[in-house]
Amino acid sequence: MHACSPNEEEASALTGIDIGGKDDALSAARKLHESGFELACVKLGDGGCVAFSNEGPRSVSVGPINPVDTTGAGDAFSGALAVALAESRPRDDALRFATAAANLAVMRSGSQESYASRDETDRWAAALGIEAPNA
């Protein structure tokens, strides 16, 4: 699967859409999807993400997070998304898993040493909300 997962700033640079919130980020994800990515995710500054694929739009929301160090969060998201997609997880599960990995990474110091175990990531992912917003 061809997927991309830019943050808001990167998505803005790639699409020309000024991202000022979730709706703009979803528009950018749609534009990236229409440009050829099967799954286009935009990582949000609040720790959530929005995505667009042939299955339509999705938004993963998170509760309050107390970030300690954001180093490696984007890599945690991208790596976890790649793992979940390689395992043929359903799209919504893959999005929650990737978001959980990034959320957990920011709650600890460092990069690789901040990455959570698979069990911890799965537990966090199960608690995340996902919805199908209007696109």
Side-chain angles (χ1 to χ4, degrees), residues 44-48 62-74 99-110 114 124:
L44 303 174
D46 68 0
V62 300
I65 297 173
N66 296 317
V68 173
D69 184 357
T70 60
T71 305
T99 302
N103 291 173
L104 291 166
V106 303
M107 292 186 222
R108 301 173 180 133
S109 293
S114 71
W124 189 272

Side-chain angles (χ1 to χ4, degrees), residues 5-6 82:
S5 58

Side-chain angles (χ1 to χ4, degrees), residues 7-8 12 17 24 27 32 36 38 42 46-48 67 69 71-72 76 78 84 89 92 96 102 113-114 117 126 133:
N7 62 33
E8 292 173 78
S12 181
I17 296 171
D24 297 329
S27 293
L32 289 166
E38 292 174 64
V42 176
D46 68 0
D69 184 357
T71 305
S78 297
R89 286 189 178 196
D92 289 358
R96 281 194 293 261
E113 62 272 10
S114 71
S117 70

Side-chain angles (χ1 to χ4, degrees), residues 18 60 89 119:
D18 183 29
V60 180
R89 286 189 178 196
D119 287 342

Side-chain angles (χ1 to χ4, degrees), residues 36-81:
F37 289 100
E38 292 174 64
L39 176 61
C41 307
V42 176
K43 298 174 290 202
L44 303 174
D46 68 0
C49 79
V50 295
F52 204 94
S53 72
N54 286 340
E55 297 175 62
R58 287 296 185 269
S59 175
V60 180
S61 54
V62 300
I65 297 173
N66 296 317
V68 173
D69 184 357
T70 60
T71 305
D75 291 340
F77 183 98
S78 297
L81 181 63

